Amino acid sequence: MNKVEVFLTEERELQRKFNETRLPQIQLKARVLRELDTTKRSFPARANGRRSGRLLAAIGMVVSVIALISLLSIFPASAEQLRKIPVIGKVFEGNVFDFAGDRGIVIGQKSGLASEVNEEAHDRGVTIKLQNALYDGARLSVGYEVVSEQAENLIFLENVRVSVNGVFRPDAALSAKPHLLDARHSAGIMTIDLDEPVKEERFELELLVGGVSGMKEGTQSKVSGEWSFKLNVENGASDSEYVSLADSYSKTWKGEEFRLTGYLATPTTMKVDFLYSGNTDWLRFQLKDDRGMLIEMLDTALTVDKKGMAKGTVRFAPLAPGTTSVEVMPFHLLVGNMDPEKVTAKLTNDYPIVLSQGGVGEVIVQNVEFLQDKTLIYYEVKGKNPHIQYASLWLETPDGQLFISDNGKRTRVSDTSYEYILEYPALDASQSYFLATLPQTDIALQEELAVSVAVRE
């Protein structure tokens, strides 16, 4: 399946995704949008029929990849400085699931639910390595690395054909969360969605990759070839039960209706199915547990029929053990209601240092430690959309042209707070630095449409 199916929706949706997990603005963005728009016009109309937000997190990572690639061409004066900072090699620890995975994937691997793959294929000077696979009934995730002998910045797998137990699955939809490690090496996680879940406790997955691609200085780089894989995958949660919900799990308000139709709770994913009648522009969802904590949204997908009824699925990180009930609330992104200017503050010892992210909230830096082998930034996010806000914090030099990290290695302190630790390589504490963020897209919560449901353990 071509990458276009995954990453292209309508133009304003693409624009919104580039603005969502915000890094410093770069001039390359407009060139990338034009490039993708050209590809979209040549793609069949069915790519637009399914308005998918499955790449909410993935596009954010694309932004960070593009930002890092672009720095070397946009800011040549600081390019050599950037190369001297071993940021990406430092944060990549060799395990793709641990490096690029969301909370659910990391939990799944640490709990022994992932299948070790360690398969690789080589063609046209490009080696693709598959490292781990994780299936829980709600999603199938595979960790991959791309190593290129000549072409640079290859991060996407293209034209992927999927077969399960020897049967081709045309229903399979592919998304990806890629990271560029260096010009010839990338790592990421691809997620394969299947309309019909696999029931077997163990199954054979066949993947045929027809190309790899990426971006370099605003133009697409691509290598066509054939990389074939066969791997055995354990069903990590074959005993998880899908729960269908009655019509009573619904709310109406001012002519709009939101209804939960079912859910699947696994050790690595919370999947919720829904119907929505009303304004579906920039429609997203929040999930709150019985402690009042928001659960990270992974992705969402919906289709809208001729009557304006949306039917879809939204996936979240797994619930904390012992959760007995959840609340699902729709919200709309207020696209366009945002100041594009970045917010900076000089790094001093006068903590806390507060940076506004606009109407959505703020990020509060509590401390910065300059250690011998790394630099740690301790910070907290407060606001309406913390799982998006947290990714928009970085360090830069006083001239504002050197970004110390692509997106850093960010670790959440606990699931009862929105506090994080951002890790950089060891930096010189005697130098001057600025903390920076960008205002995030504000959201309009639809509290009147919030629906609560008891969750089976």
Side-chain angles (χ1 to χ4, degrees):
M1 180 174 293
N2 194 293
K3 163 175 75 74
V4 177
E5 287 187 284
V6 174
F7 285 93
L8 286 182
T9 53
E10 52 191 310
E11 286 86 354
R12 61 178 183 171
E13 177 80 353
L14 184 61
Q15 178 73 45
R16 196 270 305 164
K17 289 181 187 299
F18 272 98
N19 289 333
E20 193 159 76
T21 303
R22 295 186 61 89
L23 290 169
Q25 286 189 323
I26 53 177
Q27 297 301 315
L28 181 66
K29 183 172 67 175
R31 297 202 297 273
V32 172
L33 291 176
R34 287 198 296 270
E35 174 72 21
L36 293 179
D37 181 58
T38 301
T39 309
K40 175 185 174 184
R41 287 194 295 269
S42 64
F43 196 77
R46 63 186 176 91
N48 295 328
R50 183 176 180 175
R51 282 190 57 218
S52 174
R54 278 202 178 202
L55 306 162
L56 204 64
I59 292 292
M61 293 303 169
V62 173
V63 174
S64 65
V65 169
I66 292 173
L68 190 63
I69 295 171
S70 309
L71 283 172
L72 299 182
S73 59
I74 294 175
F75 302 123
S78 61
E80 186 60 32
Q81 292 175 288
L82 186 65
R83 292 190 185 97
K84 291 179 180 179
I85 301 178
V87 177
I88 299 182
K90 172 66 177 178
V91 300
F92 180 64
E93 297 177 342
N95 186 300
V96 177
F97 271 11
D98 183 59
F99 170 65
D102 56 58
R103 180 169 172 266
I105 288 176
V106 173
I107 289 175
Q109 184 177 41
K110 291 182 178 179
S111 302
L113 300 177
S115 303
E116 290 191 14
V117 177
N118 297 323
E119 298 284 341
E120 67 178 61
H122 181 83
D123 192 17
R124 305 299 177 102
V126 176
T127 299
I128 300 177
K129 303 177 182 180
L130 303 187
Q131 191 179 96
N132 289 281
L134 177 62
Y135 181 69
D136 65 351
R139 55 175 169 159
L140 171 58
S141 300
V142 181
Y144 69 91
E145 294 180 72
V146 177
V147 181
S148 173
E149 297 174 4
Q150 295 180 340
E152 295 186 351
N153 305 332
L154 300 177
I155 57 176
F156 298 109
L157 306 186
E158 292 195 336
N159 303 320
V160 180
R161 290 175 56 88
V162 178
S163 296
V164 175
N165 292 330
V167 179
F168 172 59
R169 296 293 298 265
D171 60 312
L174 180 73
S175 61
K177 183 179 180 182
H179 294 255
L180 191 69
L181 305 177
D182 57 50
R184 304 284 175 82
H185 187 194
S186 65
I189 296 175
M190 58 177 166
T191 297
I192 301 168
D193 290 311
L194 302 171
D195 289 346
E196 293 296 326
V198 180
K199 302 297 185 182
E200 294 87 348
E201 293 185 0
R202 187 178 182 87
F203 60 92
E204 183 181 71
L205 176 68
E206 296 179 60
L207 299 177
L208 180 62
V209 181
V212 286
S213 67
M215 283 285 182
K216 184 179 180 181
E217 298 179 355
T219 60
Q220 186 184 44
S221 55
K222 182 176 179 179
V223 177
S224 297
E226 186 173 296
W227 298 262
S228 180
F229 303 91
K230 281 188 179 181
L231 45 146
N232 291 316
V233 181
E234 298 282 349
N235 192 335
S238 58
D239 57 348
S240 296
E241 180 183 357
Y242 182 85
V243 178
S244 296
L245 299 174
D247 294 350
S248 57
Y249 290 95
S250 65
K251 289 285 185 68
T252 58
W253 183 69
K254 290 188 176 180
E256 297 195 338
E257 180 180 6
F258 175 52
R259 177 188 162 194
L260 299 183
T261 60
Y263 69 86
L264 175 64
T266 81
T268 62
T269 314
M270 177 64 178
K271 172 185 173 183
V272 177
D273 293 330
F274 65 89
L275 294 173
Y276 186 93
S277 178
N279 177 20
T280 58
D281 288 344
W282 314 112
L283 179 64
R284 295 293 179 265
F285 302 89
Q286 286 189 344
L287 179 71
K288 186 179 294 186
D289 65 18
D290 47 15
R291 303 166 302 173
M293 297 302 298
L294 290 170
I295 308 301
E296 180 184 3
M297 192 189 83
L298 305 178
D299 48 46
T300 183
L302 59 86
T303 57
V304 183
D305 63 21
K306 295 180 180 179
K307 296 181 180 181
M309 174 66 73
K311 179 180 180 180
T313 296
V314 56
R315 291 184 297 204
F316 299 88
L319 301 175
T323 300
T324 58
S325 65
V326 295
E327 178 188 79
V328 185
M329 182 188 303
F331 69 88
H332 292 277
L333 290 162
L334 300 179
V335 177
N337 299 347
M338 181 175 57
D339 185 350
E341 295 299 321
K342 70 178 178 181
V343 177
T344 62
K346 187 174 183 179
L347 179 60
T348 67
N349 292 323
D350 188 16
Y351 299 109
I353 301 174
V354 181
L355 293 90
S356 172
Q357 295 180 317
V360 75
E362 60 191 15
V363 57
I364 304 166
V365 178
Q366 300 160 334
N367 190 27
V368 178
E369 287 186 337
F370 292 90
L371 305 179
Q372 184 175 359
D373 60 338
K374 57 188 173 183
T375 301
L376 301 177
I377 302 176
Y378 299 83
Y379 68 102
E380 180 181 8
V381 169
K382 291 185 177 181
K384 305 174 190 175
N385 206 3
H387 293 296
I388 294 297
Q389 295 172 244
Y390 88 99
S392 184
L393 176 69
W394 67 91
L395 277 177
E396 60 183 49
T397 56
D399 62 9
Q401 293 190 349
L402 171 59
F403 309 114
I404 305 299
S405 173
D406 63 331
N407 212 14
K409 180 181 178 181
R410 301 172 194 267
T411 304
R412 190 176 177 187
V413 174
S414 77
D415 60 3
T416 58
S417 71
Y418 305 115
E419 294 179 277
Y420 300 86
I421 300 174
L422 172 57
E423 179 182 333
Y424 286 135
L427 300 174
D428 186 353
S430 67
Q431 298 298 311
S432 178
Y433 301 101
F434 278 76
L435 293 158
T437 187
L438 278 167
Q440 303 297 289
T441 303
D442 200 0
I443 64 176
L445 296 170
Q446 294 184 283
E447 298 178 356
E448 296 82 1
L449 294 178
V451 176
S452 297
V453 61
V455 177
R456 299 181 190 176
E457 294 188 4

